[in-house]
Every structure is written in structure tokens, then in C-alpha cells.
Amino acid sequence: MRLHILGKKMSTQRRNVIKTLGVGSLAAGAAASTFPKPAISQDLREWRMVTTWPANFPGLGTGANLLGELITKMSDGRLTVRVFGAGEIVPAFESMDAVGNGTVEMGHGAPYYWQGKVNAAAYLAAIPFGLTAQEQNAWFYYGGGQELADKVYAEMGAKFFPSGNTGTQMGGWFNKEMNSLADYQGLKMRIPGLGGKVVAAAGGTVVNLPGGEIPPALQAGQIDATEWVGPYNDLAFGLYRAAKYYYYPGWHEPATVLENFINLDAWNGLPDDLKAIVETANRAVNVTVLSEFVARNNDSLSTLVNEHGVELRPFNDEILAGLGQLAGEVMSDEASADPLSREVMDSLLSFREMAKSWAGVSEQSFMTARLLPFEFAQPSGG
């Protein structure tokens, strides 16, 4: 279905909404005026989705594209979704404002981008040393996480869906070796969410940048280190050109939730069958995006190490234990001043305790067994 343009003149109300967004750049303002708000016609709805990702960016932007395509196809065009990358209608970090006030109907990003609006959102993205991707999904679908997320996002005028997961991320790119917790002192690092607050507690200076601004900032020395996602996305950004050391594991984001957020009025105005389609499409994208990250990270890590000479380094136990101690203190301090954050954190921590017991006798013990030095079958030609 093509997007129907309502007319060339923008109403006074529409101009006021754009003004309140604070879209300061001429490019963003021009883009916003190019895409007026579509109407409902003959039970056909046309929605726009703004994202925090560069347009068509691998895994992240393409996951948002897939969501739009699935909703459009599954509804047989009754709900058509067009996807716009960061800056095409509004800047990346104004996506939630645009959805919450109804300028657009949908958004796609990561929950910790909105911690400045509702602090509890950061806990929904990932907690340091927290849950794996499978455990995170289990919490959303069977541990009360969806209901808590909806409570958090209602504060921003939005409905929440988990819509992808990066899996365990990398610890980041550094221009110096990290040998002790003291090496974070004075380090300028791009790292969002609760992980960023832990780095700040360790003495670092945290810089919050959207994805598209990270490579030039690292190359120009405006930051000393950055985390982004993992080998697949980091290779696409060319971060190996600007930093020498690639550290693991991603203690700060063991399973980073990607989100689809929908204006509450728009969501409540959908008939039940379209609501079911949106929910089902998000579940499909949630699994598909995680699967793609696992598959692509395998190949991309090999490329980074073998073709680009990246030095792969593990954080030592002293650093990890120190960060873990700080993480517990930071989260507790944050939650003590905010009842909603406390409610979300307590739910996650309770689920984490149960998950640790099961993981210890399932995935964790299996991973250890798989590394034992026994001969195993090899692929043909391997």
C-alpha cells in the first residue's frame, strides 16, 4: 500500500507538535514536513515507524524493517507500516517523544535510551551481569516482564513489545590495555544504560552517542573507548580502524533487548485482530533478530581477528569482580530513589536467582563439557 499524503499544508496543531519535539536541524524539520500524518480510510491504517538506528543498518535497522514488512503482509495491507531511519523524520533520541505525542505511531530502539525520561526503562534493556537472551525472553513472556514493561512505557504514552535481542555483547573497543579496575579512571567511553553508570562509578567519563556518531568520535579521539554491539555490527561500522583492543565479555549487556514502542492511543484504537498481528510479528522478529546476530557474529569475529588483526582480550577476573560489585551498588542506589525501578529490578533479580540454578546444570555445564579436549567429527573438507 502507498502512503497517502493528506495535503501540502500542515495544520497549526501539527506545527506545534513538531516545535515541541525540539527538532532543531533544518534537515530533520524538512523531513518531518515531507511526511504528514496519514489517515484511516476504509479501515486501512498507514503507520510510520521511526528508529534510533541508521537506515537499513545490519541487524538493528533491518530488524525494524522486517517488523514493518511482517505487519503489513500479515494484515493484508489493513495496517501498512513504513520505516524511517534515525534523522529521516526525527533524530534518533527524539523517537520516543515523536511516538508518545502522536507525531508518528511506532518506534524501534533500545529501552535504555529512555532512562532520562523514566529511569526504570534502563532495567528493561539489560542489567549488568544479568540475564541471557533466552532468560530475558522467558522473563518477558512468563515472568511478568511484559506487564512491568507496559507499566513503565505507559509513563511515556507508549505500549511496549520486545522486538529483537543482540545476545551477549562484547565488552568494547579500547585504545589501551585494561589490566585493572583503575584503568577506567579518566577513560572517556561511549556506553549507555546501567553499564554506563557502572563505568562512571569506576571513574570513567561516560559519553552517550547514537550509533551513527560513534565511529567518527572514536577516530577523532573524542572518546577513548566504546562499546556498540558485537562483531557483526562492529565490523559493519569499521570500529577496528580506530581502536586496537577488543575486550570481552559484555558484562554490561549480557542480552540487550530491542523494543517496538507504539503510541498508546494508536494501539488502543486497533481492533483485536490487528493487535494480535502486531504482537505476533514482534514475537517473530524477536526470535529472528537474535538468530541473525548469533549466526553473523560467528563469521564476523573470525574476519576481525584473522583479516584485520584485531587483538581479542578477555577482561580479567579482578576487573569483572570489581565491576560486578559496583553494578550491584549502582543498581541498588538507583532503585532506592524510584519505586518503579525497584519493582522492575526486584522482579529481574528474583528471576535471575532461579535462572542461575537451572543454567548451572544446563547451558553452563554443557558449554564447559563442549570445550573438553576430545576428538570430534569434522565437517566435510574441514
Side-chain angles (χ1 to χ4, degrees):
M1 295 289 296
R2 293 186 175 87
L3 182 66
H4 297 295
I5 305 299
L6 290 182
K8 295 182 179 179
K9 290 188 176 181
M10 185 183 295
S11 67
T12 301
Q13 182 180 6
R14 172 82 170 121
R15 291 182 185 276
N16 289 339
V17 170
I18 293 295
K19 185 176 180 181
T20 59
L21 277 176
V23 181
S25 70
L26 180 61
S33 64
T34 304
F35 304 106
K37 195 171 182 179
I40 300 174
S41 176
Q42 298 178 345
D43 200 33
L44 301 181
R45 291 167 169 82
E46 296 163 342
W47 282 10
R48 292 168 299 166
M49 182 197 304
V50 294
T51 77
T52 61
W53 324 117
N56 303 314
F57 191 75
L60 304 172
T62 56
N65 292 347
L66 177 60
L67 178 61
E69 292 167 7
L70 285 177
I71 292 172
T72 300
K73 291 178 181 178
M74 292 166 66
S75 68
D76 196 24
R78 289 175 55 215
L79 177 54
T80 299
V81 178
R82 288 189 63 187
V83 181
F84 298 90
E88 291 184 337
I89 294 183
V90 294
F93 291 161
E94 292 181 17
S95 298
M96 181 59 77
D97 289 329
V99 171
N101 64 33
T103 300
V104 296
E105 295 79 14
M106 303 181 77
H108 199 277
Y112 47 44
Y113 290 154
W114 323 124
Q115 65 182 13
K117 300 180 183 299
V118 180
N119 190 63
Y123 292 82
L124 298 174
I127 61 172
F129 300 93
L131 304 179
T132 67
Q134 283 181 302
E135 292 165 351
Q136 192 85 47
N137 283 336
W139 177 71
F140 276 120
Y141 297 143
Y142 296 100
Q146 178 68 61
E147 292 77 11
L148 284 172
D150 282 337
K151 186 175 181 179
V152 172
Y153 274 61
E155 299 276 317
M156 297 180 282
K159 163 72 176 173
F160 171 91
F161 286 107
S163 191
N165 198 301
T166 67
T168 304
Q169 297 198 1
M170 289 292 288
W173 296 87
F174 295 78
N175 276 312
K176 69 174 186 178
E177 294 186 68
M178 302 295 289
N179 296 311
S180 73
L181 198 63
D183 289 323
Y184 280 99
Q185 290 285 338
L187 186 79
K188 291 183 294 183
M189 184 172 184
R190 184 273 178 190
I191 177 171
L194 292 166
K197 294 186 177 184
V198 174
V199 168
T205 299
V206 174
V207 180
N208 195 11
L209 297 172
E213 297 179 20
I214 295 173
L218 189 61
Q219 289 175 337
Q222 296 169 358
I223 53 177
D224 306 313
T226 186
E227 64 80 51
W228 176 224
V229 182
Y232 180 35
N233 285 155
D234 295 2
L235 176 63
F237 260 175
L239 294 176
Y240 60 88
R241 300 188 187 98
K244 182 176 182 180
Y245 302 109
Y246 198 24
Y247 274 87
Y248 67 92
W251 56 270
H252 60 299
E253 295 183 44
T256 306
V257 174
L258 309 178
E259 51 169 5
N260 172 219
F261 45 100
I262 303 171
N263 175 271
L264 263 180
D265 289 338
W267 170 254
N268 290 331
L270 289 180
D272 288 345
D273 63 331
L274 288 183
K275 285 182 177 179
I277 285 171
V278 171
E279 180 177 1
T280 301
N282 270 297
R283 285 184 179 242
V285 170
N286 200 26
V287 173
T288 301
V289 169
L290 175 61
S291 300
E292 181 180 12
F293 271 111
V294 172
R296 305 302 184 201
N297 282 337
N298 294 340
D299 295 335
S300 298
L301 181 62
S302 176
T303 299
L304 286 168
V305 173
N306 297 321
E307 296 183 21
H308 298 297
V310 168
E311 293 194 32
L312 197 60
R313 299 286 182 90
F315 288 120
N316 62 42
D317 288 349
E318 176 194 345
I319 290 176
L320 291 173
L323 291 170
Q325 179 69 33
L326 287 174
E329 295 170 4
V330 164
M331 289 193 299
S332 295
D333 288 346
E334 290 279 318
S336 66
D338 177 16
L340 186 54
S341 292
R342 170 62 66 180
E343 185 178 6
V344 175
M345 187 184 78
D346 284 349
S347 177
L348 281 164
L349 293 181
S350 296
F351 199 90
R352 178 181 180 270
E353 285 304 305
M354 293 186 293
K356 282 168 56 182
S357 297
W358 169 235
V361 299
S362 56
E363 281 89 353
Q364 186 172 337
S365 59
F366 166 72
M367 291 294 185
T368 301
R370 192 168 68 175
L371 291 174
L372 292 173
F374 51 80
E375 293 186 9
F376 199 64
Q378 298 294 318
S380 299

